[in-house]
Coordinates of all heavy atoms in Angstrom, one line a residue:
Chain A
E117 N -1.4 12.8 5.1 CA -0.1 12.8 5.9 C -0.3 13.0 7.3 O 0.3 12.2 8.2 CB 0.8 14.0 5.2 CG 2.2 13.8 5.5 CD 3.0 14.9 4.7 OE1 2.4 15.8 4.1 OE2 4.3 14.8 4.6
R118 N -1.2 13.9 7.7 CA -1.5 14.1 9.1 C -2.1 12.8 9.7 O -1.8 12.5 10.8 CB -2.4 15.3 9.3 CG -2.3 15.8 10.7 CD -3.0 17.2 10.8 NE -4.3 17.3 10.3 CZ -4.7 18.1 9.5 NH1 -3.9 18.9 8.8 NH2 -6.0 18.2 9.1
L119 N -2.9 12.2 8.9 CA -3.6 10.9 9.4 C -2.5 9.9 9.7 O -2.5 9.2 10.8 CB -4.5 10.3 8.4 CG -5.0 8.9 8.7 CD1 -5.9 8.9 9.9 CD2 -5.8 8.4 7.5
A120 N -1.6 9.7 8.8 CA -0.4 8.8 9.0 C 0.3 9.1 10.3 O 0.6 8.2 11.0 CB 0.5 8.8 7.7
E121 N 0.6 10.4 10.5 CA 1.3 10.8 11.7 C 0.5 10.5 12.9 O 1.0 9.9 13.9 CB 1.6 12.3 11.7 CG 2.7 12.7 10.8 CD 2.8 14.2 10.8 OE1 2.2 15.0 11.6 OE2 3.5 14.7 9.8
Q122 N -0.8 10.6 12.9 CA -1.7 10.3 14.0 C -1.6 8.8 14.3 O -1.8 8.4 15.4 CB -3.1 10.7 13.7 CG -3.3 12.2 14.1 CD -4.8 12.5 13.9 OE1 -5.3 12.7 12.8 NE2 -5.6 12.5 15.0
L123 N -1.5 8.1 13.3 CA -1.4 6.6 13.4 C 0.0 6.1 13.8 O 0.1 4.9 14.0 CB -1.9 5.9 12.1 CG -3.3 6.2 11.6 CD1 -3.6 5.3 10.4 CD2 -4.4 5.9 12.7
G124 N 0.9 7.0 13.9 CA 2.2 6.7 14.2 C 3.1 6.1 13.0 O 4.1 5.5 13.1
V125 N 2.6 6.3 11.9 CA 3.3 6.0 10.6 C 4.1 7.2 10.1 O 3.6 8.1 9.5 CB 2.3 5.6 9.5 CG1 3.1 5.0 8.3 CG2 1.4 4.5 9.9
T126 N 5.4 7.1 10.4 CA 6.2 8.2 9.9 C 7.1 7.8 8.8 O 7.0 6.7 8.4 CB 7.2 8.6 11.2 OG1 7.8 7.5 11.6 CG2 6.3 9.3 12.2
R127 N 7.8 8.7 8.3 CA 8.7 8.5 7.2 C 7.9 8.1 5.9 O 8.5 7.3 5.1 CB 9.8 7.5 7.5 CG 10.7 8.0 8.6 CD 11.7 6.9 9.0 NE 12.3 6.2 7.8 CZ 12.6 5.0 7.8 NH1 12.3 4.3 8.9 NH2 13.2 4.4 6.8
L128 N 6.6 8.4 5.8 CA 6.0 8.2 4.5 C 6.6 9.1 3.4 O 6.8 10.3 3.7 CB 4.5 8.4 4.6 CG 3.6 7.2 5.1 CD1 2.1 7.7 4.9 CD2 3.9 6.0 4.3
S129 N 6.8 8.5 2.2 CA 7.3 9.3 1.2 C 6.2 10.2 0.5 O 5.0 9.8 0.7 CB 8.1 8.5 0.1 OG 7.1 7.8 -0.6
K130 N 6.6 11.3 -0.1 CA 5.7 12.1 -0.7 C 4.8 11.4 -1.7 O 3.6 11.6 -1.8 CB 6.4 13.3 -1.4 CG 7.0 14.3 -0.4 CD 6.0 15.2 0.3 CE 6.7 16.1 1.3 NZ 5.8 16.3 2.5
S131 N 5.5 10.5 -2.5 CA 4.8 9.8 -3.5 C 3.8 8.8 -2.9 O 2.7 8.6 -3.5 CB 5.7 9.1 -4.4 OG 6.6 8.2 -3.7
Q132 N 4.1 8.1 -1.8 CA 3.2 7.3 -1.2 C 1.9 8.0 -0.7 O 0.9 7.6 -0.9 CB 3.8 6.6 -0.1 CG 4.7 5.4 -0.4 CD 5.4 4.8 0.8 OE1 5.9 5.5 1.6 NE2 5.5 3.5 0.8
V133 N 2.2 9.2 0.0 CA 1.1 10.0 0.4 C 0.2 10.4 -0.8 O -1.1 10.3 -0.7 CB 1.5 11.3 1.1 CG1 0.4 12.2 1.5 CG2 2.3 10.9 2.4
S134 N 0.9 10.8 -1.9 CA 0.1 11.2 -3.0 C -0.8 10.1 -3.6 O -1.9 10.3 -3.9 CB 1.2 11.7 -4.1 OG 0.5 11.9 -5.3
V135 N -0.2 8.9 -3.6 CA -0.9 7.7 -4.2 C -2.1 7.4 -3.3 O -3.2 7.1 -3.9 CB 0.0 6.5 -4.2 CG1 -0.8 5.2 -4.5 CG2 1.0 6.6 -5.3
M136 N -1.9 7.5 -2.0 CA -3.0 7.3 -1.1 C -4.1 8.3 -1.2 O -5.3 7.9 -1.2 CB -2.5 7.2 0.4 CG -1.7 6.0 0.6 SD -0.8 6.0 2.1 CE -2.1 5.8 3.3
A137 N -3.7 9.5 -1.3 CA -4.7 10.6 -1.5 C -5.5 10.4 -2.7 O -6.7 10.6 -2.9 CB -4.0 11.9 -1.5
R138 N -4.8 10.0 -3.8 CA -5.5 9.8 -5.1 C -6.4 8.6 -5.1 O -7.6 8.7 -5.6 CB -4.4 9.6 -6.3 CG -5.0 9.8 -7.6 CD -3.8 10.0 -8.7 NE -2.9 8.9 -8.6 CZ -1.6 9.1 -8.5 NH1 -1.1 10.2 -8.2 NH2 -0.8 8.0 -8.4
E139 N -6.1 7.5 -4.4 CA -7.0 6.4 -4.2 C -8.2 6.8 -3.5 O -9.3 6.4 -3.9 CB -6.2 5.3 -3.4 CG -5.4 4.4 -4.3 CD -6.1 3.1 -4.7 OE1 -7.1 2.8 -4.1 OE2 -5.6 2.5 -5.6
L140 N -8.0 7.6 -2.4 CA -9.2 8.0 -1.6 C -10.1 9.0 -2.4 O -11.3 8.8 -2.3 CB -8.7 8.7 -0.4 CG -9.7 9.3 0.7 CD1 -10.5 8.0 1.2 CD2 -9.1 9.9 1.8
D141 N -9.5 9.8 -3.2 CA -10.2 10.7 -4.0 C -11.1 9.9 -5.0 O -12.2 10.3 -5.2 CB -9.1 11.6 -4.7 CG -9.9 12.7 -5.4 OD1 -10.9 13.2 -4.8 OD2 -9.5 13.2 -6.5
Q142 N -10.5 8.8 -5.5 CA -11.2 8.1 -6.5 C -12.4 7.4 -5.9 O -13.5 7.3 -6.3 CB -10.2 7.0 -7.1 CG -10.7 6.4 -8.4 CD -9.8 5.3 -8.9 OE1 -8.6 5.3 -8.5 NE2 -10.4 4.3 -9.6
M143 N -12.2 6.9 -4.6 CA -13.3 6.2 -3.9 C -14.4 7.2 -3.7 O -15.6 6.8 -3.8 CB -12.8 5.6 -2.5 CG -12.0 4.4 -2.7 SD -11.6 3.7 -1.0 CE -10.1 4.4 -0.6
V144 N -14.0 8.4 -3.3 CA -15.0 9.4 -2.9 C -15.8 9.7 -4.2 O -17.0 9.8 -4.3 CB -14.3 10.7 -2.4 CG1 -15.3 11.9 -2.5 CG2 -13.8 10.5 -1.0
S145 N -15.1 9.9 -5.4 CA -15.7 10.2 -6.6 C -16.7 9.1 -7.0 O -17.8 9.3 -7.5 CB -14.7 10.4 -7.7 OG -13.8 11.4 -7.4
E146 N -16.2 7.9 -6.9 CA -17.0 6.7 -7.3 C -18.3 6.7 -6.5 O -19.4 6.4 -7.0 CB -16.3 5.5 -7.0 CG -15.4 5.1 -8.1 CD -14.5 3.9 -7.8 OE1 -14.8 3.1 -6.8 OE2 -13.6 3.6 -8.5
F147 N -18.3 7.1 -5.2 CA -19.5 7.1 -4.3 C -20.4 8.2 -4.8 O -21.6 8.1 -4.9 CB -19.1 7.2 -2.8 CG -20.3 7.3 -2.0 CD1 -21.2 6.3 -1.8 CD2 -20.6 8.5 -1.3 CE1 -22.3 6.4 -1.0 CE2 -21.7 8.6 -0.5 CZ -22.6 7.5 -0.4
R148 N -19.8 9.4 -5.0 CA -20.6 10.6 -5.4 C -21.2 10.3 -6.7 O -22.4 10.8 -6.9 CB -19.6 11.8 -5.5 CG -19.4 12.5 -4.2 CD -18.5 13.8 -4.5 NE -18.1 14.5 -3.3 CZ -18.9 15.3 -2.6 NH1 -20.2 15.5 -3.0 NH2 -18.5 16.0 -1.6
D149 N -20.6 9.7 -7.6 CA -21.0 9.5 -9.0 C -21.8 8.3 -9.2 O -22.2 7.9 -10.4 CB -19.9 9.7 -10.0 CG -19.3 11.1 -9.9 OD1 -20.0 11.9 -9.4 OD2 -18.1 11.1 -10.3
R150 N -22.0 7.5 -8.2 CA -22.6 6.1 -8.4 C -24.1 6.3 -8.8 O -24.7 7.2 -8.4 CB -22.5 5.3 -7.1 CG -23.6 5.7 -6.0 CD -23.3 5.2 -4.7 NE -24.4 5.4 -3.8 CZ -24.8 6.5 -3.4 NH1 -24.2 7.7 -3.8 NH2 -25.8 6.6 -2.5
P151 N -24.6 5.4 -9.6 CA -26.0 5.5 -10.0 C -26.8 5.1 -8.8 O -26.5 4.1 -8.0 CB -26.1 4.4 -11.1 CG -24.9 3.5 -10.9 CD -23.8 4.2 -10.3
L152 N -27.9 5.9 -8.6 CA -28.8 5.5 -7.4 C -29.7 4.5 -7.9 O -29.9 4.2 -9.1 CB -29.6 6.8 -7.0 CG -28.7 7.9 -6.4 CD1 -29.6 9.1 -6.3 CD2 -28.1 7.5 -5.1
D153 N -30.4 3.8 -7.0 CA -31.4 2.7 -7.3 C -32.4 3.4 -8.4 O -32.6 4.6 -8.2 CB -32.1 2.4 -6.0 CG -31.6 1.1 -5.5 OD1 -30.5 0.7 -5.9 OD2 -32.3 0.5 -4.6
A154 N -32.9 2.5 -9.2 CA -33.9 2.9 -10.1 C -35.0 3.6 -9.4 O -35.9 4.2 -10.0 CB -34.3 1.8 -11.1
G155 N -35.1 3.2 -8.2 CA -36.2 3.8 -7.3 C -37.5 2.9 -7.5 O -37.4 1.9 -8.1
P156 N -38.6 3.4 -7.1 CA -38.9 4.6 -6.4 C -38.5 4.5 -4.9 O -38.4 3.3 -4.4 CB -40.4 4.9 -6.5 CG -40.9 3.5 -6.6 CD -39.9 2.7 -7.4
Y157 N -38.1 5.6 -4.3 CA -37.8 5.5 -2.9 C -39.1 5.7 -2.1 O -39.9 6.6 -2.3 CB -36.9 6.6 -2.6 CG -35.5 6.4 -3.1 CD1 -35.0 6.9 -4.3 CD2 -34.6 5.6 -2.4 CE1 -33.8 6.6 -4.9 CE2 -33.3 5.3 -2.9 CZ -32.9 5.8 -4.1 OH -31.7 5.5 -4.7
T158 N -39.3 4.8 -1.1 CA -40.6 4.9 -0.3 C -40.5 6.2 0.6 O -41.5 6.8 0.7 CB -40.5 3.7 0.6 OG1 -40.3 2.4 -0.2 CG2 -42.0 3.5 1.2
F159 N -39.4 6.4 1.2 CA -39.1 7.5 2.0 C -37.9 8.2 1.7 O -36.9 7.6 1.3 CB -39.0 7.2 3.5 CG -40.3 6.7 4.1 CD1 -40.6 5.3 4.3 CD2 -41.4 7.6 4.4 CE1 -41.7 4.9 4.9 CE2 -42.5 7.1 4.9 CZ -42.7 5.7 5.2
V160 N -37.8 9.5 1.7 CA -36.6 10.3 1.5 C -36.6 11.4 2.6 O -37.7 12.0 2.9 CB -36.6 11.0 0.1 CG1 -35.4 11.9 0.1 CG2 -36.6 10.0 -1.0
W161 N -35.6 11.5 3.4 CA -35.5 12.5 4.3 C -34.1 13.1 4.5 O -33.1 12.6 4.0 CB -36.0 12.1 5.8 CG -35.1 11.1 6.4 CD1 -34.0 11.4 7.3 CD2 -35.1 9.7 6.3 NE1 -33.4 10.2 7.7 CE2 -34.1 9.1 7.2 CE3 -36.0 8.8 5.6 CZ2 -33.9 7.8 7.2 CZ3 -35.7 7.4 5.7 CH2 -34.6 7.0 6.6
I162 N -34.1 14.4 5.0 CA -32.8 15.1 5.1 C -32.5 15.3 6.6 O -33.4 15.8 7.4 CB -32.9 16.4 4.3 CG1 -33.1 16.1 2.8 CG2 -31.6 17.2 4.6 CD1 -33.4 17.3 2.0
D163 N -31.4 14.9 7.0 CA -30.9 15.1 8.4 C -29.9 16.2 8.4 O -29.1 16.3 7.4 CB -30.3 13.8 8.9 CG -30.6 13.5 10.2 OD1 -31.2 14.3 10.9 OD2 -30.4 12.4 10.6
A164 N -29.9 17.0 9.4 CA -28.9 18.1 9.4 C -28.3 18.3 10.8 O -29.1 18.2 11.8 CB -29.5 19.4 8.9
L165 N -27.1 18.6 10.9 CA -26.5 19.0 12.2 C -26.0 20.4 12.0 O -25.3 20.7 11.0 CB -25.4 18.1 12.5 CG -24.4 18.5 13.7 CD1 -25.3 18.2 14.9 CD2 -23.2 17.7 13.7
T166 N -26.4 21.3 12.9 CA -25.9 22.6 12.8 C -24.8 23.0 13.8 O -24.9 22.6 15.0 CB -27.1 23.6 13.1 OG1 -28.0 23.3 12.1 CG2 -26.6 25.1 12.9
Q167 N -23.7 23.5 13.4 CA -22.7 23.9 14.2 C -22.3 25.3 13.9 O -22.3 25.8 12.7 CB -21.4 23.0 13.9 CG -21.7 21.6 14.4 CD -21.4 21.4 15.8 OE1 -20.6 22.0 16.4 NE2 -22.0 20.3 16.4
K168 N -21.8 26.0 14.9 CA -21.2 27.4 14.7 C -19.8 27.3 14.4 O -19.0 26.6 15.2 CB -21.5 28.2 15.9 CG -22.9 28.6 16.1 CD -23.0 29.6 17.3 CE -24.5 29.9 17.7 NZ -25.4 30.2 16.7
V169 N -19.4 27.9 13.4 CA -17.9 27.9 13.0 C -17.4 29.2 12.7 O -18.2 30.2 12.3 CB -17.6 26.9 11.8 CG1 -18.1 25.5 12.0 CG2 -18.2 27.4 10.5
R170 N -16.2 29.5 12.9 CA -15.6 30.8 12.7 C -15.2 30.9 11.2 O -14.4 30.0 10.7 CB -14.4 31.1 13.5 CG -13.8 32.4 13.5 CD -12.8 32.5 14.5 NE -13.3 32.6 15.9 CZ -13.8 33.7 16.5 NH1 -13.8 34.8 15.9 NH2 -14.2 33.6 17.7
E171 N -15.7 31.7 10.5 CA -15.4 31.8 9.0 C -15.1 33.3 8.7 O -16.0 34.1 8.9 CB -16.6 31.3 8.2 CG -16.3 30.8 6.8 CD -17.5 30.1 6.2 OE1 -18.3 30.8 5.5 OE2 -17.7 28.9 6.4
G172 N -13.9 33.6 8.2 CA -13.6 34.9 7.9 C -13.8 35.9 9.0 O -14.1 37.0 8.9
G173 N -13.3 35.4 10.2 CA -13.3 36.3 11.4 C -14.6 36.5 12.1 O -14.7 37.0 13.2
R174 N -15.7 35.9 11.5 CA -17.0 35.9 12.3 C -17.6 34.6 12.4 O -17.3 33.7 11.5 CB -17.9 37.0 11.7 CG -18.3 36.7 10.2 CD -18.7 37.9 9.4 NE -19.2 37.5 8.1 CZ -20.3 37.4 7.8 NH1 -21.4 37.4 8.6 NH2 -20.7 37.0 6.5
T175 N -18.5 34.4 13.3 CA -19.2 33.1 13.5 C -20.5 33.0 12.7 O -21.4 33.8 12.8 CB -19.5 32.9 15.0 OG1 -18.4 33.3 15.8 CG2 -20.0 31.6 15.3
V176 N -20.5 31.9 12.0 CA -21.7 31.6 11.2 C -22.2 30.2 11.5 O -21.4 29.3 12.0 CB -21.5 31.8 9.7 CG1 -21.1 33.2 9.3 CG2 -20.3 30.8 9.2
N177 N -23.4 29.9 11.3 CA -24.0 28.6 11.4 C -23.7 27.7 10.1 O -23.8 28.3 9.0 CB -25.5 28.6 11.6 CG -25.9 28.9 13.0 OD1 -25.2 28.6 13.9 ND2 -27.1 29.6 13.2
V178 N -23.2 26.5 10.3 CA -22.9 25.7 9.2 C -23.7 24.4 9.3 O -23.8 23.8 10.5 CB -21.4 25.3 9.1 CG1 -21.2 24.1 8.3 CG2 -20.7 26.5 8.6
H179 N -24.4 23.9 8.3 CA -25.3 22.7 8.4 C -24.6 21.6 7.6 O -24.2 21.7 6.4 CB -26.6 23.0 7.8 CG -27.2 24.3 8.3 ND1 -27.8 24.4 9.5 CD2 -27.2 25.5 7.7 CE1 -28.2 25.6 9.7 NE2 -27.9 26.3 8.6
A180 N -24.4 20.5 8.3 CA -24.0 19.2 7.7 C -25.3 18.5 7.2 O -26.0 18.0 8.2 CB -23.1 18.4 8.6
L181 N -25.5 18.3 6.0 CA -26.7 17.6 5.5 C -26.5 16.3 5.0 O -25.5 16.0 4.3 CB -27.3 18.6 4.4 CG -27.6 20.0 4.6 CD1 -27.9 20.8 3.3 CD2 -28.6 20.1 5.7
V182 N -27.4 15.4 5.4 CA -27.3 14.0 4.8 C -28.7 13.6 4.3 O -29.7 13.7 5.0 CB -27.0 13.0 5.9 CG1 -26.9 11.6 5.4 CG2 -25.6 13.3 6.5
A183 N -28.8 13.5 3.0 CA -30.0 13.0 2.4 C -30.1 11.5 2.3 O -29.3 10.9 1.8 CB -30.2 13.6 1.0
T184 N -31.1 10.9 3.0 CA -31.3 9.5 3.0 C -32.6 9.0 2.4 O -33.6 9.7 2.6 CB -31.3 9.0 4.6 OG1 -30.2 9.7 5.2 CG2 -31.1 7.6 4.7
G185 N -32.5 7.9 1.7 CA -33.8 7.4 1.1 C -33.9 6.0 1.5 O -32.9 5.2 1.7
V186 N -35.1 5.4 1.5 CA -35.4 4.0 1.7 C -35.7 3.4 0.4 O -36.6 3.8 -0.3 CB -36.6 3.7 2.7 CG1 -36.8 2.2 2.8 CG2 -36.2 4.3 4.1
N187 N -34.8 2.5 -0.1 CA -34.9 1.9 -1.4 C -35.9 0.8 -1.5 O -36.7 0.5 -0.5 CB -33.6 1.5 -2.0 CG -32.9 0.4 -1.2 OD1 -33.7 -0.3 -0.5 ND2 -31.7 0.2 -1.3
A188 N -36.1 0.2 -2.6 CA -37.1 -0.8 -2.9 C -37.0 -2.0 -2.0 O -37.9 -2.7 -1.6 CB -37.1 -1.2 -4.3

Side-chain angles (χ1 to χ4, degrees):
Chain A
E117 205 169 7
R118 201 164 55 235
L119 169 66
E121 277 172 22
Q122 276 185 282
L123 300 184
V125 183
T126 50
R127 291 173 51 213
L128 270 190
S129 69
K130 292 282 176 217
S131 60
Q132 279 177 319
V133 172
S134 170
V135 166
M136 289 169 70
R138 200 163 52 237
E139 276 263 344
L140 182 60
D141 193 31
Q142 199 184 331
M143 281 188 271
V144 168
S145 303
E146 278 172 14
F147 176 67
R148 276 186 184 277
D149 300 337
R150 79 197 189 290
L152 295 174
D153 260 14
Y157 289 96
T158 316
F159 291 103
V160 176
W161 69 89
I162 295 171
D163 221 350
L165 172 71
T166 303
Q167 293 277 331
K168 288 186 191 306
V169 302
R170 192 173 287 276
E171 205 172 88
R174 59 204 185 95
T175 307
V176 295
N177 280 328
V178 162
H179 313 281
L181 307 170
V182 180
T184 312
V186 176
N187 63 19

